[in-house]
Amino acid sequence: MISRSLGPEFGGAVGLCFYLGTTFAGAMYILGTIEILLTYISPNAAIFPIEQDDPQAMLNNMRIYGTCIIAMMAIVVFVGVKYVNKLALVFLACVILSIMAIYAGVIKSAFDPPDFPMCLLGNRVLAKRNLEICAKYISNNTINEALWNKFCITTNESTTCDPYFMANNITEIQGIPGVASGVLLDNLWSAYSQKGSIIERNQTSSVAGEGQKTYSQHYVLTDIMTYFTMLVGIYFPSVTGIMAGSNRSGDLKDAQKSIPFGTILAIATTSFIYLSCVVLFGACIEGALLRDKFGEAVSGQLVIGTLAWPSPWVIVIGSFFSTCGAGLQSLTGAPRLLQAIARDGIVPFLQVFGHGKANGEPTWALLLTAGICEIGILIASLDSVAPILSMFFLMCYMFVNLACALQTLLRTPNWRPRFKYYHWTLSFVGMSLCLALMFICSWYYALVAMLIAGCIYKYIEYRGAEKEWGDGIRGLSLNAARYALLRVEHGATHTKNWRPQILVLVNLDSEQNVKHPRLLSLTTQLKAGKGLTIVGSVLQGTFLDKHVEAQKGEENIKALMTTEKTKGFCQLVVSPSVRDGISHLIQSAGLGAMKHNTVLMAWPHSWKQPTDPYSWKTFVDTVRDATSAQQALLVAKNIDSFPTSQERFADGNIDIWWIVHDGGMLMLLPFLLRQHKVWRKCRMRIFTVAQMDDNSIQMKKDLQMFLYHLRLDAEVEVVEMFENDISAFTYEKTLMMEQRSQMLKQMQLSKNEREREVSCCNLHFCF
């Protein structure tokens, strides 16, 4: 969907990130399944004995059991998706029963709350490790040795106790007072804390005192620093399954109907259940116990399991099958995501994963997904990876919203959503929320996820297969181009923005190949990828007879432009005569303000032929057409001797014979050439012609000053010639008298010299 809407680069980048997120999420679900199994269902099944001070043993158990569960799940998925759907119904039934048990437990707590005591010292929550009696003294003033031994140190001479312990009383409260207790009002407000802080019940009074840090391990401590954005990041992965149906759209009978209905229903039911549970938990359970992550205040018992009715096992079994089913759904959806990306052919090395069984099951993609899942299992602790996965999911949702909004704003004809209650502002708001949530949860993980997606995007852009899907980015580019063309249509181009926009006239041989490919090399060196370049050619004949040759010639020109790295457009015209075709190109090439102002062509080869005395006429007419259109004309003589774009001059000169003042065109061309790597190390030399009785020294100084004002670095040479030689060489034919006179004034020549110069005709020059 994203590929067809935003282009293959966006679709491939976001799709691969979403695939990795779905795959590693499957590993997280499997690890959760094993944790529930070994912690609450069957602790004796642990291969490595689990001890409180040895977390590595639990990780090793997860690695072994996780590998076995992945293998079994992969076999189930390989057998067929219909069996996954059947198992999904069983898992769903267990989850629904556990949710109903929670609501039943909440109702029951209104008149018969469960007996679930927790112990407080002052207002601090005590960890209930080996603490059977919550009191300082047992009957008959006998001390509770288990408690006193925690806070007192006895030596041979004396006993030293924690001051906070001595100043405050021990109280026992119910951790689940029930929905009618009014505890909801106490839990309405936030209670964030730093890492290692002691969890306190603010409603209980206590004698102020910090106590000694030596005894802090006997309290319930927070294991991480809590704040709003961090909690949002923890909560978000629980709602990432709403697109499970979209991932399996190929297996749906009527995807157009099922996906909107199923997704909206999933969002509605999930939001209702989650939000209602948040409110009901706050109404039934003490806030201090809610912040006890590992249930240390209640000997590690399941708080929600105790709240549920009729038995905690309903929650344990429901949680087990919920995580197991989520892992199975990930192993089902992720291979299909990879198969879809591979079949699109946008990433060459992934094409092997587009194949599968005869019924379309993605066998190879399933093997890769299981392998990546196994990597997550071997890591065992995915706390550092999980935030990036959330970013991948958010990025996918953001681009889905962007695709919908963009298609609507562009009014794409093929965008016809069946859902009646859709408006592009909803998609835009959803996209904005996803982007904001990425940076709210973790700005640096958001940047890492964007960097990964950006690298995949650039790889697909340069190495991936070219696809033309009529995506929205192309439509957006067309709209932007239209807007820009309309903006620049009004008003003439300012001198500061002027640069040669070149129409390159090339000839084709009998095989429709370009005769002089070095013309495009020269164009690339002049343009350096900037401005407008149109490569034009004329095919003699009628379009009905020559349309096949015209198509072949255009393809050959585009291939040569790619080889020479000439960025521009190709325009081939079929005309009864070459002369008329070139005239049409000079008149009509380009669009709006994006038109050429310079014509580049090669000097005609063998223009003076005895068999055809008028072979030069086409060239002369082209010069006249360019002059009539007020366009500059560049004629490259011996173009086949010009350097290619791969050559490099280590030294050399670019000589400019500057006969008349042409507005700086002759100065600009070598400057542009020196911007390219081919000519970068060459020097500029400017030659100007003076008569024998001219002030050559002053002319050289004036020309050097003129170049200084133009900020050009070049050597200046003045060549003195006799008047007759100058007349025979290049007497002016191209410039008006006023321009010549203006140039002479700028050169600050004497009055006699100006009169002598003005009496001559305009000088003609060649480049």
Side-chain angles (χ1 to χ4, degrees), residues 2-11 399 402-403 406-407 410 412 457 468-481:
I2 296 175
S3 295
R4 272 59 173 180
S5 300
L6 300 179
E9 295 86 1
F10 280 107
F399 276 98
L402 175 61
L406 187 63
Q407 294 286 355
L410 292 177
T412 309
Y457 177 94
E468 182 50 61
W469 288 327
D471 53 83
I473 295 298
R474 183 175 178 83
L476 186 63
S477 301
L478 290 174
N479 276 0

Side-chain angles (χ1 to χ4, degrees), residues 275-559:
L275 294 177
S276 62
C277 284
V278 167
V279 174
L280 293 176
F281 292 163
C284 296
I285 305 171
E286 279 288 344
L289 184 57
L290 287 173
R291 294 190 294 275
D292 183 3
K293 180 177 178 180
F294 300 104
E296 295 179 271
V298 289
S299 303
Q301 298 182 65
L302 283 177
V303 178
I304 306 304
T306 305
L307 174 64
W309 181 87
S311 171
W313 281 100
V314 178
I315 302 301
V316 173
I317 299 300
S319 301
F320 177 81
F321 282 117
S322 175
T323 52
C324 188
L328 197 59
Q329 293 290 342
S330 296
L331 279 181
T332 305
R336 282 159 173 76
L337 281 172
L338 182 62
Q339 185 185 44
I341 297 173
R343 286 181 173 177
D344 278 343
I346 56 179
V347 184
F349 68 86
L350 290 180
Q351 291 185 3
V352 65
F353 298 106
H355 306 293
K357 295 192 296 185
N359 60 354
E361 289 293 323
T363 307
W364 294 107
L366 175 61
L367 289 176
L368 179 64
T369 303
I372 297 176
C373 260
E374 177 63 20
I375 294 175
I377 294 298
L378 293 178
I379 295 174
S381 179
L382 293 178
D383 292 341
S384 58
V385 183
I388 299 182
L389 306 185
S390 296
M391 300 303 160
F392 288 159
F393 284 112
L394 278 170
M395 193 182 302
C396 178
Y397 303 152
M398 179 180 70
F399 276 98
V400 168
N401 282 289
L402 175 61
C404 295
L406 187 63
Q407 294 286 355
T408 306
L409 291 175
L410 292 177
R411 297 180 181 177
T412 309
N414 68 338
W415 173 248
R416 298 181 294 273
R418 292 184 181 273
F419 189 64
K420 299 179 181 179
Y421 308 102
Y422 167 75
H423 195 267
W424 68 269
T425 54
L426 294 176
S427 298
F428 186 80
V429 170
M431 179 195 71
S432 304
L433 288 175
C434 288
L435 182 62
L437 198 58
M438 289 178 66
F439 286 91
I440 285 175
C441 293
S442 177
W443 64 268
Y444 44 89
Y445 277 122
L447 293 179
V448 170
M450 289 183 174
L451 178 63
I452 294 174
C455 292
I456 299 174
Y457 177 94
K458 297 304 292 184
Y459 173 81
I460 296 175
E461 185 179 29
Y462 285 107
R463 299 297 300 272
E466 293 185 2
K467 299 290 182 180
E468 182 50 61
W469 288 327
D471 53 83
I473 295 298
R474 183 175 178 83
L476 186 63
S477 301
L478 290 174
N479 276 0
R482 171 183 169 273
Y483 175 78
L485 284 173
L486 292 176
R487 285 291 302 272
V488 299
E489 178 71 18
H490 306 289
T493 303
H494 195 274
T495 307
K496 292 188 295 184
N497 298 326
W498 193 94
R499 64 168 57 243
Q501 317 287 6
I502 299 178
L503 169 63
V504 188
L505 298 178
V506 297
N507 294 328
L508 302 179
D509 57 19
S510 58
E511 299 295 329
Q512 313 309 324
N513 294 319
V514 178
K515 285 185 178 181
H516 304 292
R518 298 291 177 89
L519 266 177
L520 295 186
S521 301
L522 177 61
T523 304
T524 302
Q525 295 159 23
L526 272 174
K527 301 296 292 181
K530 303 296 189 298
L532 175 67
T533 300
I534 303 174
V535 181
S537 183
V538 178
L539 194 62
Q540 190 170 4
T542 60
F543 187 71
L544 290 177
D545 299 330
K546 297 286 187 178
H547 67 278
V548 176
E549 290 86 345
Q551 185 177 5
K552 181 181 179 182
E554 189 171 344
E555 292 175 356
N556 292 339
I557 293 175
K558 288 181 178 179

Side-chain angles (χ1 to χ4, degrees), residues 154-212:
T154 303
T155 61
N156 294 331
E157 298 179 356
S158 61
T159 299
T160 304
C161 294
D162 179 28
Y164 187 86
F165 172 75
M166 298 302 296
N168 289 276
N169 295 323
I170 295 288
T171 55
E172 186 177 69
I173 63 172
Q174 288 296 325
I176 306 179
V179 71
S181 63
V183 72
L184 176 63
L185 297 177
D186 299 331
N187 292 334
L188 278 178
W189 314 111
S190 59
Y192 303 128
S193 58
Q194 299 292 325
K195 181 180 180 180
S197 301
I198 299 174
I199 296 179
E200 298 179 347
R201 185 176 185 268
N202 296 327
Q203 291 75 30
T204 302
S205 60
S206 65
V207 177
E210 292 296 329
Q212 299 180 18

